[in-house]
């Protein structure tokens, strides 16, 4: 058995119903002490502490959080906003759901501190529409916080006002993309915006806006309580602080959430942590960071599971959603399903993504049904070239990368279909 | 025009007004609330929402049609949405869909003639660690197998 972490984890020991109420948070988790401390600090000091912590965005892109907060102008004619991205729409990801249903006050306090640091007086939690129950639980926690003076006017006697609103999405992957999310928050179709302007300049309702993932924000109270250096030291690779909640799913014996020190384990070790490959079978492939991440073969899993090491081997950590595939699952079928998702979720604004995803889906479908042609694999790679980097948002890249990686790394499986030796 | 939406709808919406700097931002919450009452979003309901918010009904429809959770057509009393995305697929979601299709004699997207069940295939529900998963109306059901599904569905009135 491999030790999950050298330190006490930050989150998963609280993932049960007893930990949800405000009373638990106050008594057992040092609740709302960090915000009290933050109110005694300057905005710059808070941002510097977060910079020191090497906290990087947990939503997918891994952007340094302190730097993001630093982009928000001090003075602004328009109100500033803080938006929590709780869309959790990247396939394979299920960590934010537990953070919200079990430790809602950690999120509320993290938002309170973030809002104070950037001078925002209203925050929104944009939660995916399907999480009806989690939205209700969040609302209950928010009501508790208002009742006890942790939200609203003059929070904890600090003179700082902060309102927090839960806003439900309605079923659209693209609303996880931060500017699609902002449009959706404003009551529009969730189509991503042209950047610049970036949200830090003109985000929600035209005001300077910070968008952060749930897990990013829940790290903030720890950073303020225990210090940026403490948080940074939890990470075992450079420029990556804290712990990471990894969502392990697919063909493992014990799917679920695992929290490890950032960069402390390889992909192989994490699969072992999750009980090994289901039924003792052989491993075929790992999708390491949500369905948008290029696939790794069984020979490529001795890489450290963190942002930079995975980038170096041509894939990404994304939202830390690791999906494990065992020897007898068909890779052609799998990539066809993944591509169908992107074709369905493409918002249709950019031609390369709208047309390209549909084309890839159709070509994969015909390969799967025994109608593939010899030139189809090159055609697929050609289409991925015509999508990647040519769209307003990263959905196009997210669709193209996996297809290219599957075709290149599992070519014989595709060829068997094309030669008519296999059927879907 | 006679109002279809209840006083509760208007009360809930009026409570939300101070939460947003614009009125249009009420649109998603309004569509959710209306669908909760009416089960789906007929044209008259969208017109009434548009009137309340102060936007053209076409704008309401333009937005509503972007999001899969808004039902632009009537659905059954029990709306089954089975996730068939990667993690669920790896854990046998296809067999579950097939089983329910056979059980009710409908294809994905269809509704039983008695309007009791609508079956849909869903994209990732964010329950991958407890796959396969599905939603029945607003509730999640996880770690599914054929037996638990039969027990659940057979018990519905
Ligand atoms: C297609 C697409 C979907 C995304 N989905 C999510 C999501 O569900 N949740 C999330 O936090 N970030 C998602 N992101 C990333 C966000 O755009 C953004 O980078 C993130 O919310 C920033 O917060 P962070 O810096 O705290 O990670 C998505 C990005 C893209 C391109």
């Amino acid at each position: 058995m491999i030790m999950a972490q050298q330190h006490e984890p930050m989150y998963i020991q609280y993932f049960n119903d007893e930990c949800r109420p405000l009373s638990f948070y106050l008594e057992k988790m040092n609740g709302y002490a960090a915000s009290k401390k933050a109110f005694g600090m300057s905005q710059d000091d808070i941002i510097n502490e977060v910079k020191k912590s090497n906290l990087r965005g947990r939503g997918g892109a891994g952007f340094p959080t302190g730097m993001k907060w630093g982009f928000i102008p001090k003075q602004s004619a328009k109100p500033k906003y803080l938006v929590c991205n709780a869309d959790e729409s990247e396939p394979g990801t299920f960590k934010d759901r537990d953070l919200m249903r079990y430790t809602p006050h950690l999120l509320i306090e993290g938002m309170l501190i973030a809002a104070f640091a950037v001078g925002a007086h209203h925050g929104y939690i944009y939660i995916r529409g399907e999480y009806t129950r989690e939205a209700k639980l969040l609302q209950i926690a928010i009501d508790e916080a208002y009742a006890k003076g942790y939200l609203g006017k003059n929070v904890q006697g600090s003179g700082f006002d902060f309102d927090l609103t839960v806003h439900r999405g309605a079923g659209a992957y693209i609303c996880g993309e931060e500017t699609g999310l902002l449009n959706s928050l404003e009551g529009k179709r969730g189509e991503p915006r042209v950047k610049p302007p970036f949200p830090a300049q003109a985000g929600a309702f035209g005001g300077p806006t910070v968008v952060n993932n749930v897990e990013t924000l829940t790290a903030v109270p720890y950073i303020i309580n225990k210090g940026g250096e403490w948080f940074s030291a939890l990470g075992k690779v450079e420029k990556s602080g804290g712990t990471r909640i990894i969502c392990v799913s697919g063909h493992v014996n014990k799917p679920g959430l695992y929290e490890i020190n950032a960069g402390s384990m390889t992909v192989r070790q994490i699969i072992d942590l999750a009980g090994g490959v289901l039924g003792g079978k052989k491993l075929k492939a790992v999708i390491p960071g949500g369905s948008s991440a290029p696939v790794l073969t069984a020979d490529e899993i001795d890489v450290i599971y963190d942002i930079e090491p995975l980038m170096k081997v041509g894939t990404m950590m994304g939202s830390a959603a690791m999906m494990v595939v065992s020897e007898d699952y068909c890779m052609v079928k799998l990539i066809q399903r993944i591509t169908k998702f992107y074709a369905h979720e493409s918002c249709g604004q950019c031609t390369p993504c709208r047309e390209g995803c549909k084309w890839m889906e159709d070509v994969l479908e015909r390969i799967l049904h025994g109608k593939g042609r010899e030139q189809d694999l090159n055609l697929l790679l050609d289409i991925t070239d015509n999508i990647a980097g040519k769209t307003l948002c990263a959905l196009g890249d997210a669709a193209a990368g996996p297809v290219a990686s599957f075709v290149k790394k599992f070519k014989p499986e595709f060829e068997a279909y094309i030669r008519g030796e296999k059927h879907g | 025009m006679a109002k279809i939406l209840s006083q509760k709808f208007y009360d809930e919406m009026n409570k939300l007004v101070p939460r947003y700097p614009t009125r249009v931002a009420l649109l998603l919450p309004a569509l959710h609330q209306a669908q909760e009452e009416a089960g789906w979003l007929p044209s008259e309901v969208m017109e009434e929402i548009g009137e309340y918010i102060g936007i053209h009904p076409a704008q309401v429809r333009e937005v509503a049609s972007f999001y899969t959770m808004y039902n632009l057509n009537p659905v059954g009393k029990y709306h089954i949405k089975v996730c068939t995305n990667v993690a669920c697929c790896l854990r046998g979601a296809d067999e579950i869909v097939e089983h329910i299709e056979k059980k009710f004699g409908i294809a994905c997207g269809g509704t039983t003639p008695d309007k009791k069940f609508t079956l849909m295939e869903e994209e990732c529900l964010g329950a991958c660690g407890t796959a396969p998963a599905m939603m029945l109306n607003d509730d999640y059901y996880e770690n599914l197998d054929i037996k638990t599904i039969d027990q659940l569905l057979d018990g519905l009135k």
Side-chain angles (χ1 to χ4, degrees), chain B:
Chain B
M1 199 176 72
K3 294 235 185 300
I4 303 168
L5 295 165
S6 71
Q7 190 53 44
K8 180 167 174 245
F9 170 89
Y10 288 96
D11 292 344
E12 292 292 326
M13 285 304 113
N14 289 338
K15 261 196 277 177
L16 286 180
V17 171
R19 293 264 149 199
Y20 299 95
T22 66
R23 233 180 132 77
V24 187
L26 293 170
L27 185 48
L28 266 67
L31 289 164
H32 277 304
Q33 185 69 30
Q35 181 160 297
E36 211 174 295
E37 289 191 1
W40 66 294
L41 298 164
S43 297
E44 308 81 71
V45 165
M46 289 201 251
E47 271 168 42
E48 193 173 327
I49 291 173
E51 200 170 308
Y52 171 73
I53 291 178
I55 55 178
H56 196 278
Q59 194 179 337
V60 179
R61 181 174 293 278
E62 185 204 15
V63 171
S65 63
F66 186 82
Y67 299 92
T68 54
M69 280 181 77
Y70 297 131
N71 303 323
L72 303 183
N73 294 297
V75 292
K77 179 175 175 196
Y78 297 106
H79 195 175
I80 305 165
K81 303 179 204 174
V82 184
C83 173
T84 60
N85 205 295
V86 182
C88 286
C89 214
L90 292 172
R91 287 275 180 164
D94 289 354
E95 287 96 80
I96 286 174
V97 170
E98 220 173 277
H99 176 74
I100 303 177
E101 282 183 333
K102 277 211 193 103
K103 188 179 177 78
F104 295 134
I106 51 174
C108 258
T111 301
T112 53
D114 61 0
K115 306 270 188 300
K116 193 166 159 190
F117 294 102
T118 297
L119 174 65
M120 278 179 190
E121 225 183 293
E122 193 67 25
E123 294 300 352
C124 185
L125 293 174
C128 324
T130 43
M134 67 175 221
M135 290 181 80
L136 179 67
N137 296 343
D138 278 347
D139 298 321
Y140 273 65
Y141 291 86
E142 297 160 63
N143 289 314
L144 296 170
D145 56 36
I146 304 288
K147 209 173 114 202
T148 53
I149 287 184
D150 280 344
Q151 273 168 357
L152 172 69
L153 298 180
D154 293 344
L156 296 172
K157 293 267 147 52

Side-chain angles (χ1 to χ4, degrees), chain A residues 56-63 65 68 85-90 96 173-179 211-214 216-217 393-395 398:
Chain A
R56 296 177 64 167
R58 287 353 187 190
F63 195 84
T65 306
K68 183 183 277 188
N85 189 340
D87 196 55
E88 189 142 271
S89 50
E90 177 68 24
D96 297 340
Y173 169 61
I174 195 62
C175 293
E177 195 280 337
E178 57 187 16
T179 61
V211 183
N212 273 138
N213 172 257
V214 174
T216 311
L217 290 161
C393 88
L395 189 141

Side-chain angles (χ1 to χ4, degrees), chain A residues 275-384:
Chain A
V277 179
L278 188 63
K281 289 201 174 134
K282 261 177 44 194
L283 179 74
K284 185 190 262 188
V286 178
I287 300 172
S291 68
S292 306
V295 68
L296 293 173
T297 67
D299 298 330
E300 296 175 309
I301 59 168
D302 289 308
V303 55
I304 290 286
Y305 191 73
D306 208 63
I307 301 169
E308 316 259 333
L310 285 167
M311 216 141 68
K312 282 205 190 101
V313 297
T315 183
M316 61 186 197
M317 185 175 186
S319 51
M322 191 194 263
M323 296 179 278
V324 176
V325 185
S326 75
E327 54 187 326
D328 42 18
Y329 204 85
C330 171
M331 297 305 275
V332 180
K333 185 176 165 194
L334 192 57
I335 192 61
Q336 199 277 333
R337 181 62 188 87
I338 292 174
T339 306
K340 183 177 154 198
F341 168 74
Y342 290 102
H344 179 254
E345 300 296 334
S346 171
C347 80
Q349 275 191 118
C350 309
T351 311
C353 176
R354 181 186 65 238
E355 301 299 320
C357 289
K358 187 71 193 129
W359 266 95
M360 292 196 301
E361 184 193 359
D362 289 351
V363 172
L364 285 165
E365 171 105 18
R366 87 175 167 227
I367 293 175
L368 198 59
H369 290 108
K371 302 213 172 69
R373 306 166 202 163
E374 217 165 294
Q375 62 273 32
D376 275 352
L377 297 183
N378 281 333
L379 176 60
L380 279 172
L381 293 177
D382 231 40
I383 302 173
T384 63

Side-chain angles (χ1 to χ4, degrees), chain A residues 11-324:
Chain A
Y11 304 112
I12 47 169
Q13 70 272 40
Y14 301 116
F15 284 177
N16 61 70
D17 288 315
E18 280 156 41
C19 302
R20 188 182 305 124
L22 177 59
S23 54
F24 183 95
Y25 189 59
L26 293 172
E27 284 156 31
K28 302 281 168 57
M29 295 175 72
N30 204 12
Y32 293 100
S35 48
K36 189 150 191 101
K37 184 171 171 187
F39 292 140
M41 296 165 72
S42 74
Q43 292 178 318
D44 284 339
D45 284 348
I46 297 173
I47 293 175
N48 279 332
E49 210 56 42
V50 175
K51 280 184 182 161
K52 257 195 271 173
S53 77
N54 278 324
L55 171 62
R56 296 177 64 167
R58 287 353 187 190
F63 195 84
T65 306
M67 196 192 288
K68 183 183 277 188
W69 293 6
F71 292 152
I72 298 291
K74 286 265 175 308
Q75 303 299 331
S76 166
K78 291 198 166 166
K80 303 180 216 178
Y81 294 98
L82 172 67
V83 177
C84 170
N85 189 340
D87 196 55
E88 189 142 271
S89 50
E90 177 68 24
T93 318
F94 52 98
K95 62 192 175 64
D96 297 340
R97 183 182 179 208
D98 275 13
L99 285 168
M100 290 187 285
R101 64 178 163 172
Y102 296 130
T103 58
H105 285 286
L106 204 51
L107 175 59
I108 296 171
E109 188 177 17
M111 290 190 76
L112 183 57
I113 298 167
F116 178 72
V118 301
H121 294 289
H122 204 129
Y124 295 94
I125 300 174
Y126 184 99
I127 182 170
R128 60 176 300 167
E130 292 84 356
Y131 285 173
T132 318
R133 179 164 177 269
E134 289 71 19
K136 282 184 187 143
L137 294 173
L138 273 177
Q139 190 58 52
I140 291 169
I142 288 172
D143 293 345
E144 279 180 314
Y146 268 105
K148 290 281 163 26
Y150 297 117
L151 285 173
K153 291 249 172 299
N154 189 19
V155 177
Q156 291 171 288
S158 63
F160 179 67
D161 302 338
F162 184 57
D163 282 309
L164 186 54
T165 300
V166 177
H167 187 93
R168 289 178 63 210
Y173 169 61
I174 195 62
C175 293
E177 195 280 337
E178 57 187 16
T179 61
L181 183 155
L182 293 172
N183 274 339
S184 181
L185 174 64
E186 292 180 11
K188 302 172 188 158
R189 294 163 69 88
E191 289 162 350
R193 298 173 177 175
V194 181
K195 286 159 272 192
F198 291 94
Q201 305 156 268
F205 309 104
T209 301
V210 168
V211 183
N212 273 138
N213 172 257
V214 174
E215 190 189 349
T216 311
L217 290 161
T218 53
V220 174
Y222 283 103
I223 292 169
I224 298 304
N225 267 332
K226 303 195 178 190
E229 272 165 30
W230 171 85
F231 189 88
S232 173
L234 291 178
K236 299 304 167 204
V237 284
E238 251 182 276
K239 289 188 286 176
S240 186
T243 63
R244 297 295 309 241
I245 306 176
I246 303 167
C247 319
V248 189
S249 66
H251 295 148
V252 288
N253 284 309
K254 291 188 286 175
L257 298 175
Y258 294 88
E259 185 175 357
I260 67 166
N261 288 68
S264 65
M265 290 177 109
T266 64
V267 172
R268 186 189 300 279
Q269 288 171 323
I270 294 165
I271 294 172
D272 287 342
L273 194 63
V277 179
L278 188 63
K281 289 201 174 134
K282 261 177 44 194
L283 179 74
K284 185 190 262 188
V286 178
I287 300 172
S291 68
S292 306
V295 68
L296 293 173
T297 67
D299 298 330
E300 296 175 309
I301 59 168
D302 289 308
V303 55
I304 290 286
Y305 191 73
D306 208 63
I307 301 169
E308 316 259 333
L310 285 167
M311 216 141 68
K312 282 205 190 101
V313 297
T315 183
M316 61 186 197
M317 185 175 186
S319 51
M322 191 194 263
M323 296 179 278
V324 176

